[in-house]
Amino acid sequence: MITLGSRKIDFAAGQEIDPRAIVRVSTDYHRPLPLRAREAFLVRGDDAPAGFASYLVLPNGRCPDNVAAQRRVHLPPEFEYLDDGDVVRLVPERGEIRTLYRRSSPHNSFLLTERCNNYCLMCSQPPRDVNDGWIVDEILATIPLIDPDTGEIGFTGGEPTLLGGRFFELVQACKSYLPRTALHILTNGRTFSDDAFARTLGSLQHHDLMLGIPIYADLPHVHDYIVQADGAFDETIRGILNLKRHGVRVEVRVVLHKQTVTRLPALAAFLARNLLFVDHVALMGLEMMGFTRANLDALWIDPDDYRSELTEAIGILDRARMRVSLYNAQLCLTDQRIWRFAKRSISDWKQEYMPECEGCIMKGDCGGFFASAKHRYSDRISPIAA
Amino acid sequence: MAKFLALAEYEKPMAAGGYRPLPYRFMPLSGDRYVLTNLVGEFVITERQSLRVFADGQLSYQDELYSELKSKHFLIDGDSDVALDLLAIKVRTKLSPLANFTGLHIFVVTLRCEHSCPYCQVSRANDDRREFDMTRETALRSLDLVFRSPSPAIKIEFQGGESLLNLDLVEFIIEEAKRRNEHEQRDLAFVLATNLAVLDDRVLALAARHQVLISTSLDGPADLHNKNRPRPGGDSHARAIAGIHRARMALGRDQVGALMTTTAASLSRVRDIIDEYITQDFDGIFLRPLSPYGFAVKTKSYAAYNETKWLDFYFEGLDYIIDLNLGGFPFVEHYAAMILQKMLTPFQPGYVDLMSPAGIGIGAVVYNYDGDVYASDEARMLAEMGDTRFRIGNVHANTYEEIFLGDALLDPLEQSFAASVPMCSWCAFEPWCGSDPVFHHATQGDFVGKKPLSAFCGRNMMIFKGLLQRLNDRPQVREVFERWANIR
Ligand code: SF4
Ligand code: SF4
């Protein structure tokens, strides 16, 4: 688990740093001067080249005297991971630093808004009805600073499409500045039930776009209950149909919990019969974040208790030749015949293992646990022996 | 934090309103069980009493059956109506191959053959007379028609007689088709149907150069195959096996397929036949019924052939193959696979004999050696018996429009459309079945036929029921079937 943000940063004097700076981090002593003027130099050792807008000083770093105190920021050890090419936000007034992009991570994602038109029982990022349009500006400023060789970035929310036209602006920015980077967007898909909205996204012709859209049940009212929004199922399905009609790739996402596992095989059959043309189906273990903890009684089921439903559902999808992946699953709670679908996907800053895992030979392949799993995880974890 | 609503809140529209059934049909299976099918062939199996409650509009939304019927689009209620959108898309998907029109174009390049199979409907003894060979002029006129088809995928299949006896013309047609295709840009493929007895290096070089698929005949083990397929020397089987090996070596394992012909002698030998296919390293077999046309009728072999016996043959073979699969050896029965594709997937297989509207002319068409155009392979066999009802034109005398939009083709298509003929229109199996106007014309004298008297209907009904029973009774069999259904 790594720390992405802190508001206890010592900006020392710091007056020369922009009140709200989005800066690329550099470790390059030979960085051209014009670029230094808008970047932050990461000070690990005991010298630093002149001319950077700011200097991020790690615990073992010592800034030489040629660096004005007014441009120094002293970082705690949690930020040792920062490296060349990363992008951070500095807000001296709040003593804040936040890592927006890590070049070495395959899991960079951007929260576009906290607003949402669903209110899912297990939402890990509980929506807030706030005016947070500033986020878009910040991301638009960040995108050009991202390494164009980045494999993939993600957009999440809240519900990104609630941004309306500005949503397309962000997709267009990714297309223009990151022509080799895949873009994965988590959306509930409802906005795309408006065909014009779907058509506009399709017409942007992003080179490598995938929309991750949840469907939690084959029965509309069960889905609507899980997302706490009447009529959501119909809108989401129509949204998916419109997106596929306009050439946008769609991944169906199913979170595994007590309300979804009973009808999981029926849902799989529904997908295979009605939405065979979607590009991927992702089945995902429950994360103990946000609303999940409040609704734990309604949601928690030991993965060991839905083994057979999971195996059957994956079998149905696989035999229908749909592309299927299983995320966040502990292999010791999963039938071996579906291990080949299991992916290690939990973002690297979240993935952990439990003391029970000691000595397990499958650790290298196992999806492991979200850090949040400390709140609740199966009591049937048992290391797999050779 | 806002309050979360309970599941019951979201059930209210269902509790309040009742439901509307979408179009469905039903049919008794064994005992008390019924099968219900919807517009696109999704199905639910339930008891008579539950069906009655559903049909009476009395089924509770809390009933497990209600959920199943709703999920599979047998009903809509006040909660959701997106089922209509999805159902519409599924209907369109099932019917969409129709828009492509004719994809399979069969060229009978010669009637000559060096075999003299008693059941064969069309072949002429092998001699050097060329009167039974297709000419280049006829081939060129036929190719004009081939490329008038709007289909984005065009498959040209060479048949005989023994097609290799007119190899010059096969080569001519392939090269001419490819030349035209430089402009046409269709997905063009070739199939050469041959008994492989006169296979030589020239054939293999031609096939390799143009990625021609070889389709051969294999009726079972040597004694059965040779009995079915007499030729001078009595070595048909040995030649077929040697040919299969040579062709695989030259072209690739999966470039060679085999079809079997069922005769009276086959009926007690289904395991031997399947074992022969396994021995020869095929991935599956098509357990075919014997057609009632041509010499098959004349020589009385059809009379010896009894529909019940064939069904026993079929199910014995099917169960043997299922057991192989359950034991971990994947092997496919292709007739079942085709029907299962209709039952278990959104797609519609392009098997001409099991389509409605029928596949004649619009799924496949035959250009005979003499330029006559037939609506199907069976249609030209019927013509050999003197019934030319399905001769839909001649490449030299008629235009594309006259042939493909003429009454000779459209009448049987329209009249036999299963969804609107007696018995089929209320049959629960109609979404999986077909209409086969050629068969019904041949056996009953009209395109529709009285289905209770139809061997086509009786046979398919038994197969539908047999497949349903097997997949419903054993989950492992259902898995095997799901795999077969998705071979595309
Ligand atoms: S013991 Fe731990 S590492 Fe091993 S499979 Fe289970 S959860 Fe994964
Ligand atoms: S032919 Fe027989 S089985 Fe087929 S649809 Fe008609 S009545 Fe039903």
Side-chain angles (χ1 to χ4, degrees):
Chain A
M1 182 91 181
I2 66 168
T3 305
L4 290 176
S6 168
R7 289 196 173 178
K8 294 183 198 134
I9 298 303
D10 172 14
F11 276 77
Q15 304 94 330
E16 283 190 21
I17 296 173
D18 281 354
R20 194 181 180 92
I22 309 282
V23 288
R24 183 182 173 281
V25 174
S26 176
T27 59
D28 181 2
Y29 284 79
H30 307 288
R31 193 75 174 153
L33 283 170
L35 297 178
R36 294 186 195 185
R38 42 189 159 96
E39 294 186 350
F41 189 80
L42 192 66
V43 186
R44 283 193 201 279
D46 48 16
D47 64 343
F52 278 89
S54 53
Y55 291 81
L56 307 178
V57 187
L58 289 164
N60 293 332
R62 277 191 296 112
C63 250
D65 294 341
N66 63 342
V67 172
Q70 290 89 332
R71 296 191 180 188
R72 295 180 193 179
V73 184
H74 290 277
L75 297 183
E78 304 91 276
F79 289 91
E80 283 285 0
Y81 66 80
L82 282 176
D83 211 341
D84 190 74
D86 292 354
V87 179
V88 297
R89 172 174 79 214
L90 301 172
V91 190
E93 180 188 81
R94 291 204 297 256
E96 179 185 324
I97 181 170
R98 182 147 195 104
T99 305
L100 302 176
Y101 162 78
R102 287 198 305 132
R103 192 165 73 165
S104 65
S105 168
H107 301 288
N108 282 290
S109 81
F110 298 90
L111 180 144
L112 268 47
T113 176
E114 291 190 73
R115 292 178 296 132
C116 192
N117 50 350
N118 280 356
Y119 205 74
C120 304
L121 296 179
M122 65 293 178
C123 183
S124 60
Q125 180 70 50
R128 293 198 303 153
D129 196 8
V130 290
N131 190 346
D132 54 9
W134 58 268
I135 298 178
V136 176
D137 297 317
E138 184 173 286
I139 298 171
L140 284 172
T142 305
I143 289 170
L145 304 181
I146 291 175
D147 185 335
D149 285 324
T150 301
E152 175 178 292
I153 63 168
F155 284 171
T156 68
E159 173 48 44
T161 60
L162 296 186
L163 295 170
R166 299 219 75 189
F167 170 71
F168 300 124
E169 233 180 286
L170 285 160
V171 175
Q172 178 63 46
C174 290
K175 180 188 172 184
S176 302
Y177 283 99
L178 301 169
R180 296 184 291 282
T181 304
L183 176 59
H184 190 276
I185 302 178
L186 289 178
T187 163
N188 60 42
R190 294 173 60 187
T191 314
F192 297 103
S193 60
D194 171 7
D195 188 57
F197 202 84
R199 185 172 345 107
T200 306
L201 182 60
S203 70
L204 295 184
Q205 305 226 6
H206 186 283
H207 50 276
D208 192 353
L209 175 66
M210 178 83 95
L211 265 54
I213 300 180
I215 300 179
Y216 294 129
D218 60 325
L219 298 176
H221 73 280
V222 177
H223 175 91
D224 291 357
Y225 160 63
I226 292 168
V227 306
Q228 292 282 302
D230 198 22
F233 180 85
D234 285 17
E235 286 184 4
T236 293
I237 297 289
R238 291 196 171 100
I240 292 173
L241 298 179
N242 288 339
L243 284 164
K244 290 302 301 180
R245 186 155 40 232
H246 296 297
V248 181
R249 294 193 303 146
V250 171
E251 161 189 87
V252 168
R253 298 166 71 85
V254 187
V255 180
L256 303 169
H257 55 64
K258 203 197 276 181
Q259 304 300 327
T260 58
V261 293
T262 339
R263 290 196 66 86
L264 203 58
L267 173 59
F270 175 85
L271 294 176
R273 193 78 189 208
N274 294 281
L275 299 175
L276 190 63
F277 44 74
V278 302
D279 302 274
H280 186 210
V281 179
L283 305 167
M284 296 168 302
L286 185 62
E287 189 177 3
M288 294 294 146
M289 294 275 282
F291 286 157
T292 303
R293 280 186 241 169
N295 293 313
L296 204 57
D297 284 347
L299 297 174
W300 172 256
I301 173 172
D302 194 306
D304 194 36
D305 292 329
Y306 61 69
R307 266 176 192 275
S308 61
E309 286 88 349
L310 183 61
T311 302
E312 191 186 344
I314 287 185
I316 289 168
L317 296 166
D318 179 51
R319 289 189 292 277
R321 303 188 163 210
M322 298 183 84
R323 205 159 70 77
V324 194
S325 304
L326 172 63
Y327 296 114
N328 325 338
Q330 295 87 43
L331 295 182
C332 56
L333 303 177
T334 311
D335 288 350
Q336 191 164 354
R337 58 189 285 211
I338 59 168
W339 280 4
R340 65 194 174 95
F341 300 96
K343 303 270 151 59
R344 290 185 63 169
S345 76
I346 297 177
S347 309
D348 51 358
W349 52 276
K350 288 179 175 174
Q351 183 166 339
E352 301 194 343
Y353 294 90
M354 293 298 168
E356 292 93 317
C357 301
E358 187 59 44
C360 176
I361 58 153
M362 292 308 293
K363 217 166 175 176
D365 297 303
C366 179
F369 300 82
F370 291 106
S372 59
K374 62 179 180 292
H375 295 281
R376 184 73 187 258
Y377 65 96
S378 170
D379 52 20
R380 288 166 239 172
I381 300 295
S382 65
I384 295 162
Chain B
M1 194 187 294
K3 283 278 294 165
F4 292 97
L5 300 179
L7 180 62
E9 289 297 318
Y10 295 91
E11 290 173 344
K12 278 184 178 163
M14 295 186 291
Y19 56 88
R20 260 201 307 146
L22 295 168
Y24 73 97
R25 287 171 281 197
F26 54 86
M27 177 77 95
L29 301 174
S30 60
D32 211 22
R33 284 191 304 184
Y34 274 68
V35 61
L36 287 66
T37 61
N38 72 357
L39 269 181
V40 290
E42 286 166 279
F43 62 93
V44 170
I45 294 174
T46 189
E47 267 70 55
R48 184 186 171 85
Q49 183 53 27
S50 314
L51 165 61
R52 163 126 240 161
V53 174
F54 170 56
D56 286 345
Q58 300 299 319
L59 192 63
S60 159
Y61 71 92
Q62 284 159 326
D63 199 306
E64 182 55 32
L65 179 63
Y66 187 100
S67 298
E68 195 184 353
L69 290 169
K70 185 172 174 181
S71 176
K72 291 183 175 164
H73 299 159
F74 285 77
L75 67 86
I76 49 174
D77 57 29
D79 173 44
S80 162
D81 60 8
V82 78
L84 297 178
D85 301 41
L86 292 169
L87 204 49
I89 289 174
K90 286 186 283 191
V91 170
R92 208 182 309 143
T93 304
K94 287 277 183 194
L95 292 176
S96 65
L98 277 178
N100 293 336
F101 223 64
T102 323
L104 176 60
H105 299 262
I106 297 170
F107 281 63
V108 181
V109 291
T110 179
L111 288 189
R112 290 182 295 131
C113 185
E114 30 60 67
H115 274 62
S116 49
C117 308
Y119 57 78
C120 178
Q121 294 88 343
V122 296
S123 72
R124 297 296 185 280
N126 187 23
D127 54 38
D128 283 335
R129 286 184 304 152
R130 293 286 161 151
E131 67 200 80
F132 294 118
D133 285 5
M134 183 182 268
T135 63
R136 290 191 169 202
E137 295 70 52
T138 301
L140 287 172
R141 282 292 299 140
S142 303
L143 280 173
D144 291 345
L145 298 174
V146 169
F147 283 102
R148 286 293 306 280
S149 165
S151 178
I154 298 273
K155 187 181 277 179
I156 294 178
E157 177 170 325
F158 302 103
Q159 285 194 9
E162 169 49 50
S163 53
L164 296 187
L165 296 183
N166 196 2
L167 190 66
D168 286 344
L169 188 75
V170 169
E171 181 162 18
F172 174 77
I173 293 171
I174 291 177
E175 280 169 1
E176 177 64 16
K178 285 189 112 173
R179 193 184 64 74
R180 296 186 189 198
N181 200 43
E182 281 168 23
H183 296 283
E184 293 282 349
Q185 293 293 312
R186 313 290 182 93
D187 178 3
L188 182 63
F190 302 99
V191 180
L192 186 58
T194 165
N195 59 40
L196 290 175
V198 292
L199 182 70
D200 62 16
D201 287 338
R202 187 183 155 212
V203 177
L204 291 174
L206 177 71
R209 193 157 63 245
H210 301 292
Q211 286 97 49
V212 178
L213 215 86
I214 303 289
S215 168
T216 192
S217 304
L218 181 62
D219 289 353
D223 66 312
L224 181 60
H225 184 98
N226 288 335
K227 183 163 177 242
N228 276 355
R229 298 177 179 272
R231 76 183 298 282
D235 57 353
S236 179
H237 182 265
R239 282 175 178 257
I241 300 305
I244 289 168
H245 286 301
R246 272 180 81 190
R248 279 187 175 144
M249 191 59 90
L251 308 174
R253 176 182 178 275
D254 298 331
Q255 289 294 102
V256 182
L259 274 178
M260 64 161 297
T261 298
T262 312
T263 63
S266 316
L267 293 177
S268 59
R269 305 282 303 272
V270 71
R271 285 168 182 255
D272 295 342
I273 295 169
I274 293 164
D275 285 347
E276 176 69 13
Y277 271 69
I278 294 171
T279 307
Q280 302 310 334
D281 195 23
F282 287 103
D283 297 331
I285 190 170
F286 188 160
L287 295 176
R288 285 202 302 174
L290 180 66
S291 77
Y293 311 102
F295 289 119
V297 172
K298 284 190 217 155
T299 56
K300 298 273 191 288
S301 57
Y302 186 67
Y305 174 86
N306 156 317
E307 205 53 47
T308 327
K309 275 199 195 142
W310 184 83
L311 283 166
D312 291 344
F313 162 88
Y314 180 78
F315 283 118
E316 186 190 346
L318 180 67
D319 286 333
Y320 179 50
I321 292 171
I322 288 173
D323 283 343
L324 289 172
N325 282 275
L326 294 180
F329 182 78
F331 192 80
V332 183
E333 199 286 297
H334 287 292
Y335 195 69
M338 219 148 40
I339 293 168
L340 290 164
Q341 186 178 351
K342 293 168 177 246
M343 293 168 67
L344 300 171
T345 82
F347 300 115
Q348 191 72 356
Y351 177 55
V352 174
D353 293 355
L354 213 58
M355 289 167 84
S356 170
I360 56 168
I362 59 178
V365 70
V366 179
Y367 306 97
N368 208 6
Y369 73 99
D370 57 1
D372 282 348
V373 183
Y374 288 101
S376 75
D377 210 21
E378 289 73 17
R380 81 162 157 132
M381 296 172 186
L382 203 58
E384 289 296 327
M385 298 165 63
D387 181 346
T388 54
R389 180 60 189 78
F390 294 95
R391 197 186 76 94
I392 56 176
N394 182 285
V395 299
H396 298 290
N398 300 106
T399 64
Y400 180 83
E401 285 75 12
E402 284 165 357
I403 296 171
F404 286 93
L405 300 177
D407 291 343
L409 179 59
L410 296 192
D411 279 351
L413 282 176
E414 283 174 21
Q415 290 177 30
S416 68
F417 184 53
S420 64
V421 308
M423 198 152 143
C424 299
S425 60
W426 61 82
C427 173
F429 300 136
E430 187 272 327
W432 309 328
C433 203
S435 59
D436 208 341
V438 181
F439 178 93
H440 288 107
H441 172 80
T443 54
Q444 297 192 28
D446 69 83
F447 302 135
V448 179
K450 296 169 194 66
K451 293 292 155 46
L453 305 176
S454 157
F456 169 88
C457 174
R459 176 176 71 235
N460 284 317
M461 222 179 249
M462 289 306 289
I463 293 179
F464 299 140
K465 288 182 180 175
L467 292 174
L468 279 174
Q469 181 212 323
R470 282 165 178 77
L471 73 76
N472 197 49
D473 289 354
R474 295 165 77 189
Q476 310 93 300
V477 173
R478 194 188 174 100
E479 288 185 18
V480 172
F481 282 5
E482 281 174 358
R483 245 176 240 119
W484 292 3
N486 286 287
I487 301 166
R488 304 194 267 279

